[in-house]
C-alpha cells in the first residue's frame, strides 16, 4: 500500500480519497480521447486542504492533475495510464464567498459551476457574461485555467478579461492570496495573468475575484442565412456598425455542422437549414428597451438583405425562441460527438483573412484527405473557428484518427501559420497539441515558458507533460 494514500486520507478525510470503484468520470476525458488510470482521486473541501494535498504529493514526488468539470477538449484534466498521477478534483470548493455590487465583483471558489455563478449573479441583478455550452458542468477554476472564450467574447472578452484577482496554491503547497478586486494595480509582475491559461501546470487556482456587469435591459437573437464565409464577414462588419457594443454574439455555422444537429437531435428545428452554405447567429444586448433593440436589429437585417450578405433572416419573438436558436448552436459539439470520434481545431485568424483561409484550406483538405467531412463553425466575431474534421462517413473513425490526425493537423496548422493565426484560440494545448506547439511557437517564447515552469514548479509535479515537455 502506498503510504501517500493514508496521508491524503488524514488530510482530507477517507471519504474524499477515491481509489476503488468506477472512476471513469474522472479518468476519461469528455471527448473520449483518453482513458487514464489514477493513483487516487482526491477531493479536498478547502484551500487549506488543497495546500496540504499539494505538500504531501510534492513530498512523495507524485504528479498532480488538477480537475474541475472535466469538460476540457485537449486531454489536460485526466490522468495518464501510469497509475502514478493523483487527480486533484476542485469540485467541493463550490462556495460564492462574497459579492460586492458597488465594486461590480464577485469572489468565488474554483469549483463553482459556471451556470451557478451566472444564476447567482442574475439573482442579485447582475450579469456574469462568460457563456459556453459546457456551462452546466464546467467550473470557474477550469475556465480560468484554460482562459475559456465562449460566445460573448466580442463584447466582454475571454475569462482572463473577466478576472481581477486569484487565490492560488503553489507547487510548494503555499497559498498566494491575490484576491484583489482592483481594476488597476501596477505593483510588479502580473502573477494573475501567469496562472490564467496555464492549464494547471503552474499552480492550483482555488478562488477568484471576477467582474460583474449590469444586466442588459433587452437581449434579442437573430438568425441569418448567408451565401458564403465572405458574406458572413461582411455581415459582421455591418452588425458592428449598426449595433456597436450591443453586439454580444456573432456565431457562424456551416451547413454540415447544422446537418449533424438535424440528424442527431431531430427534436431541434434548424431554421433556414439548407438554403445557403452558412448560417449566422447574432445577439443584440441593449441598455435602452426591447423596441429599441428590435428596431436596431431590423435596420441591420434590412441593410444586410439589401447588400446581399444575408439572403434570409429571422428575429426571435420571445425568450423561448431565442433559447431555441442558441440551442442549435450549442448542440453542435454534442452532435459531433454522437457522429463519432473527430479531430478538433480551435484556431484563430485575423477576421479579414478568414474567407481566404477557408477557401484555400477547404480545397486543400478535400484534395489531400479522401472522404474528409469538414465541420466548420464558431465564434466568427472573435476570428475563432472550430475548423473540425469528422472521419469519412461509414469509415473506421478510430483508424482514421490513428492514421490521419497528425497529417490533418499539420495541413491545417501550416495554413493557420500562413494566415498569421494561432493553433489554439480557446481550448489550450493539454496533451493533444503538446507535440505540435514547438512547430508553431517561437523557440524564444517556448524557452521563456520553460523558464517560468521551472521557476514555479521545479519538481515538475503540476500537470507534467501538458502544455510543455521539459
Ligand atoms: P477541466 O476540463 O476540468 O480542466 C481543464 C484544464 O484546466 C486542465 O488542464 C486542468 O488540469 C486545468 N484545471 C481545472 N481546474 C483547475 C484549477 N482549479 N486550477 C488549476 N488548473 C485547473 N471552451 C471555450 O473556451 N469556449 C467554448 O465555447 C467552449 N465550449 C465547450 C462546449 C462543450 C460542450 C464542451 C464539452 C467544452 C467546451 N469548451 C469550451 C472547453 C472547456 O475548456 C471549457 O468547457 C472549460 O473552460 C473547462 O472547464 P472545466 O472546469 O471542465 O475544466
Ligand atoms: C464551442 O464553441 C466549443 O462550442 C466546442 O468551443 C467546440 O466542439 C468544438 O469543437
Ligand atoms: Zn468555442
Amino acid at each position: 500500500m502506498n503510504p501517500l494514500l493514508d496521508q491524503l486520507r488524514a488530510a482530507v478525510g477517507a471519504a474524499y480519497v477515491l481509489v476503488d470503484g468506477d472512476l471513469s468520470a474522472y479518468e476519461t476525458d469528455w471527448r473520449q480521447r483518453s482513458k487514464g488510470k489514477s493513483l487516487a482521486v482526491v477531493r479536498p473541501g478547502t484551500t487549506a486542504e488543497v495546500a496540504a494535498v499539494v505538500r504531501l504529493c510534492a513530498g512523495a514526488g507524485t504528479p498532480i492533475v488538477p480537475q474541475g468539470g472535466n469538460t476540457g477538449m485537449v486531454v489536460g484534466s485526466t490522468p495518464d495510464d501510469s497509475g502514478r498521477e493523483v487527480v486533484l478534483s476542485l469540485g467541493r470548493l463550490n462556495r460564492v464567498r462574497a459579492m460586492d455590487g458597488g465594486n461590480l465583483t464577485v469572489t468565488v471558489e474554483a469549483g463553482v459551476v459556471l451556470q451557478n455563478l451566472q444564476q447567482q449573479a442574475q439573482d442579485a441583478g447582475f450579469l456574469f457574461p462568460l457563456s459556453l455550452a459546457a456551462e452546466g458542468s464546467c467550473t470557474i477554476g477550469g475556465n480560468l485555467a484554460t482562459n475559456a472564450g465562449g460566445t460573448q467574447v466580442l463584447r466582454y472578452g475571454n475569462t482572463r478579461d473577466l478576472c481581477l484577482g486569484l487565490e492560488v496554491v503553489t507547487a510548494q503547497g503555499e497559498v498566494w492570496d491575490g484576491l484583489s478586486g482592483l481594476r488597476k494595480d501596477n505593483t510588479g509582475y502580473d502573477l494573475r495573468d501567469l496562472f490564467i491559461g496555464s492549464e494547471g501546470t503552474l499552480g492550483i487556482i482555488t478562488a477568484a475575484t471576477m467582474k460583474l456587469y449590469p444586466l442588459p435591459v433587452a437581449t434579442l437573437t437573430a438568425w441569418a442565412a448567408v451565401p458564403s464565409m465572405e458574406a458572413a464577414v461582411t455581415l459582421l462588419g455591418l452588425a458592428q456598425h449598426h449595433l456597436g457594443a450591443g453586439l454580444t454574439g456573432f456565431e457562424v455555422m456551416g451547413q454540415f455542422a447544422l446537418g449533424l444537429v438535424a440528424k442527431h437531435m431531430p427534436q431541434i428545428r434548424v431554421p433556414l437549414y439548407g438554403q445557403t452554405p452558412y448560417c449566422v447567429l447574432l445577439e443584440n444586448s441593449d441598455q435602452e428597451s426591447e423596441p429599441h433593440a428590435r428596431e436596431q436589429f431590423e435596420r441591420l437585417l434590412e441593410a444586410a438583405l439589401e447588400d446581399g450578405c444575408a439572403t434570409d433572416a429571422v428575429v426571435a419573438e420571445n425568450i423561448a425562441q431565442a433559447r431555441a436558436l442558441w440551442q442549435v448552436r450549442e448542440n453542435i459539439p454534442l452532435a459531433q460527438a454522437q457522429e463519432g470520434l473527430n479531430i478538433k481545431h480551435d484556431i484563430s485568424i485575423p477576421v479579414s483573412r478568414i474567407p481566404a483561409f477557408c477557401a484555400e484550406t477547404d480545397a486543400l483538405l478535400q484534395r489531400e484527405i479522401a472522404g474528409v467531412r469538414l465541420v466548420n463553425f464558431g465564434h466568427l466575431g472573435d476570428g475563432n473557428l472550430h475548423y473540425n474534421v469528422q472521419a469519412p462517413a461509414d469509415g473506421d473513425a478510430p483508424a482514421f484518427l490513428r492514421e490521419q490526425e497528425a497529417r490533418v493537423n499539420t495541413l491545417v496548422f501550416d495554413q493557420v501559420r500562413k494566415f498569421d493565426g494561432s493553433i489554439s484560440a480557446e481550448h489550450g494545448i493539454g496533451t493533444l497539441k503538446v507535440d505540435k506547439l514547438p512547430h508553431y511557437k517561437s523557440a524564444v517564447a517556448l524557452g521563456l515558458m520553460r523558464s517560468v515552469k521551472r521557476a514555479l514548479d521545479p519538481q515538475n509535479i503540476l500537470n507534467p507533460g501538458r502544455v510543455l515537455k521539459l
Side-chain angles (χ1 to χ4, degrees):
M1 179 56 82
N2 188 329
L4 175 64
L5 294 178
D6 282 336
Q7 294 164 353
L8 291 170
R9 288 188 187 103
V12 303
Y16 300 115
V17 179
L18 315 180
V19 285
D20 300 320
D22 179 9
L23 298 180
S24 55
Y26 300 96
E27 294 178 335
T28 303
D29 72 301
W30 189 87
R31 292 177 58 201
Q32 311 266 330
R33 294 294 311 265
S34 164
K35 294 186 199 319
K37 175 80 193 97
S38 63
L39 175 65
V41 175
V42 184
R43 304 183 62 233
T46 63
T47 300
E49 286 184 6
V50 173
V53 170
V54 173
R55 282 195 300 272
L56 290 170
C57 289
T62 294
I64 297 169
V65 181
Q67 189 178 96
N70 196 16
T71 66
M73 291 280 180
V74 289
V75 191
S77 53
T78 49
D80 63 19
D81 58 9
S82 67
R84 284 188 60 238
E85 298 185 327
V86 161
V87 173
L88 175 48
S89 166
L90 280 300
R92 288 179 63 226
L93 273 76
N94 58 7
R95 286 166 287 263
V96 174
R97 289 191 189 163
M99 197 176 286
D100 181 348
N103 196 41
L104 286 173
T105 50
V106 60
T107 297
V108 292
E109 293 183 343
V112 169
V113 169
L114 173 56
Q115 200 168 55
N116 295 345
L117 176 54
Q118 294 167 340
Q119 190 60 53
Q120 294 215 27
Q122 190 178 326
D123 292 346
F126 298 105
L127 172 74
F128 181 66
L130 183 65
S131 179
L132 44 126
E135 62 202 20
S137 43
C138 68
T139 63
I140 200 70
N143 301 147
L144 284 158
T146 57
N147 185 26
T151 56
Q152 304 278 299
V153 172
L154 82 167
R155 167 69 177 85
Y156 298 102
N158 295 295
T159 309
R160 181 188 303 284
D161 304 293
L162 299 172
C163 179
L164 294 173
L166 285 184
E167 179 187 85
V168 173
V169 170
T170 68
Q172 292 72 30
E174 294 173 322
V175 179
W176 170 53
D177 180 354
L179 284 176
S180 156
L182 301 176
R183 282 169 172 78
K184 292 184 138 184
D185 178 8
N186 281 346
T187 53
Y189 302 147
D190 196 332
L191 299 174
R192 175 194 63 199
D193 271 350
L194 208 48
F195 291 110
I196 296 173
S198 67
E199 300 182 50
T201 61
L202 299 180
I204 314 286
I205 297 167
T206 48
T209 300
M210 307 299 292
K211 289 183 193 168
L212 295 172
Y213 287 83
L215 277 169
V217 175
T219 303
L220 290 187
T221 308
W223 185 278
V226 298
S228 63
M229 189 58 93
E230 200 160 8
V233 170
T234 305
L235 177 59
L236 172 64
L238 274 181
Q240 281 162 335
H241 179 73
H242 279 258
L243 307 178
L247 182 65
T248 46
F250 194 97
E251 299 284 315
V252 72
M253 294 148 288
Q255 284 301 339
F256 186 73
L258 292 171
L260 291 179
V261 175
K263 174 177 169 188
H264 293 287
M265 287 119 184
Q267 73 283 9
I268 296 180
R269 200 179 68 82
V270 182
L272 312 181
Y273 176 49
Q275 288 191 13
T276 47
Y278 295 95
C279 286
V280 166
L281 191 157
L282 304 96
E283 189 183 79
N284 180 17
S285 300
D286 194 73
Q287 291 302 354
E288 212 172 301
S289 66
E290 183 168 331
H292 180 255
R294 202 168 282 283
E295 194 188 305
Q296 273 187 321
F297 240 168
E298 276 161 12
R299 252 188 276 133
L300 161 66
L301 293 172
E302 265 168 36
L305 292 170
E306 200 173 307
D307 174 89
C309 65
T311 55
D312 204 349
V314 289
V315 180
E317 288 297 325
N318 49 45
I319 292 173
Q321 284 184 9
R323 275 300 327 140
L325 294 178
W326 274 107
Q327 229 194 354
V328 178
R329 161 62 183 90
E330 286 172 356
N331 272 290
I332 296 174
L334 208 59
Q336 241 211 302
Q338 291 187 13
E339 183 72 5
L341 284 178
N342 51 65
I343 303 170
K344 284 192 186 294
H345 300 120
D346 58 311
I347 57 175
S348 59
I349 309 276
V351 173
S352 53
R353 306 188 70 191
I354 281 185
F357 169 85
C358 289
E360 253 189 46
T361 315
D362 288 5
L364 176 73
L365 286 178
Q366 266 140 16
R367 205 167 54 236
E368 296 289 325
I369 312 281
V372 74
R373 297 186 295 164
L374 291 175
V375 184
N376 189 0
F377 66 100
H379 320 286
L380 185 61
D382 315 323
N384 168 199
L385 291 180
H386 296 302
Y387 194 81
N388 297 343
V389 170
Q390 200 81 40
D394 305 323
D396 177 348
F400 176 76
L401 260 66
R402 263 194 322 274
E403 289 156 19
Q404 299 285 12
E405 182 166 21
R407 183 144 167 269
V408 168
N409 286 343
T410 302
L411 289 170
V412 173
F413 293 164
D414 283 357
Q415 284 291 105
V416 166
R417 176 166 44 205
K418 178 175 166 191
F419 283 85
D420 301 321
S422 163
I423 66 164
S424 175
E426 281 201 318
H427 301 156
I429 302 301
T431 53
L432 279 189
K433 284 178 254 168
V434 72
D435 291 326
K436 285 287 177 196
L437 190 64
H439 300 282
Y440 299 97
K441 191 126 189 141
S442 79
V444 176
L446 284 165
L448 290 169
M449 283 169 63
R450 285 200 182 93
S451 304
V452 172
K453 171 71 174 170
R454 288 197 182 107
L456 267 60
D457 180 17
Q459 265 185 285
N460 194 22
I461 59 159
L462 295 182
N463 236 359
R466 284 77 173 179
V467 182
L468 273 181
K469 283 186 176 161
L470 291 182

